Amino acid sequence: MRTSRCNAALLSVVLIGCVSEDRPRVDETPAMEPVIVAEGLNGPAGVLVDSEGVLWIADAGTGGAEQLSGTTPGTNQPITFTWGETARIIRVDPDGTTTDVAMLPSIMIPYGAIGVGRFAMLDGSIYATVGGWEAGISVDRLAHAAAVVRVDEDGVTEIANTWDLENRENPDAGPRETNPWGLTTGPDGALWVTDAAANSLLRVDPGTGEVELKAVFDVAPGVIPNPDRGGAMEREAVPTAVAFDAAGNVFVALLGGFPFQPGNSRVVRVAEDGLVTDHASGLTMLADLVTGPDGQLYGVSLTEFTQQGPTPASGALIRIRPGAVDTLLAGLAFPTAVAFGSDGDTYLALNPMGQPGAGTVVVYPGLVR
Amino acid sequence: MVAVVALLLGCRGERDSQDEAALRAEGMRIYREQFCGACHAFAAAGTGGTFGPPHDGMREVAEQRLRDPRYRGSAKSAEDYVRESIRDADAWLVPGYEQALSPMPSYTELSAFELNALVRLLLGDSPAGGR
């Protein structure tokens, strides 16, 4: 893959932002240098810092030697996937000790591997979204693929899978495919999941494994024919992350579907009855959304994707306030996830797509308080 | 007389060359307008997409694919192959790209002229301009 240009200036960043009296404080260091806390990663997709200061990292893996066969949706062309249990949940203790605590399915596709996605912490246990699945594959769903899992002293336990609902109901009326991705704990004690392929928001009961459909995200007008929609000029929503504010309102980041034009990404609010309304629009490739230590919503823009393809080092960390969006960091190399630790420490997963071993997690000490 | 004929043929050749250049330039405009570079790397266009196969050396690549025993389409020439790839993407997906981030659309709405311009761009020498 032609990723050499994407590796340029991996850690060259510029702090942009204004400080005013009525805005949450951002550190005023003019040029903040990040500290690398993990490197050599394969497609880091999620980060979380727990109450004990442990950093959790989701690694997509490198596929493997096993093969899956199937047919492409709509064309019935034979295809072969490779996969292996090379996706990792990595634990980094405050003293720097790094441990692979779980190995999970990693399925290789042309632009990279799909493995572990995002994390949530609930009742002292770590939960993660893993992989995806689709119609046409010749075998039954792999264990732990298209699933929410719990990792604890007992090992990895599959709590729920998102394929059953998608295969049964296909709520967005698109191809039958699921990719549980965004994950957070709700004020109701449940796990909330965005399915990036099925374009849905799901609520998962961690005790029973019941998966409840909470919202479906509609297509939006597009600029090229969408083969998944019969050639209609439409683009998929692609929900990448879910977050709650202090009042219990749920917000979802929508990446904005291929060809990912700048300004086509947005944050929506989902009401109790599943009604979806715009909260912030005009954003670009929002890959993650979290609630910061100040109660505001923070997200990462993956890259500026244009008619020439992805623009190197064009990712950003943004804060989404009512009626305004602030850029805190710019020039980032494909940031895929953000998490906050104590004292405003801001962690970012940087993920040069398709380049094994080139992913990193960095921290900006005290960036957001 | 021979000199006049030679001169006229030369002028015609120059005009054909200009027409071809104009056609490829139009192909470049369409290539960018349809976001081809979002998925395909093509040096002449300065694009770096990675979700689909690269477009450099397309004539040779097309001929190789026609000889590929896995090929399932109905094209018989490089021109036909490129045309089919654009107009009827479902005819055959290049191995390794069957599971692209977004499947290749079938650009059935392009006019015959637009399609021809793209074919000339991809199979011919690149026009000046690049990115």
Side-chain angles (χ1 to χ4, degrees), chain A residues 138-163:
Chain A
S138 60
V139 300
D140 291 337
R141 181 183 64 88
L142 298 174
H144 303 147
V148 178
V149 302
R150 183 181 68 237
V151 183
D152 52 27
E153 61 276 5
D154 295 327
V156 179
T157 304
E158 182 174 300
I159 301 302
N161 81 78
T162 56
W163 172 240

Side-chain angles (χ1 to χ4, degrees), chain B residues 31-48:
Chain B
Y31 191 90
R32 291 186 171 132
E33 183 180 87
Q34 296 298 328
F35 290 86
C36 303
C39 285
H40 300 281
F42 185 32
T47 61

Side-chain angles (χ1 to χ4, degrees), chain A residues 158-181:
Chain A
E158 182 174 300
I159 301 302
N161 81 78
T162 56
W163 172 240
D164 286 349
L165 184 148
E166 170 65 5
N167 192 35
R168 185 177 65 242
E169 300 180 22
N170 191 15
D172 74 339
R176 292 180 189 273
E177 53 187 3
T178 178
N179 179 201
W181 193 249

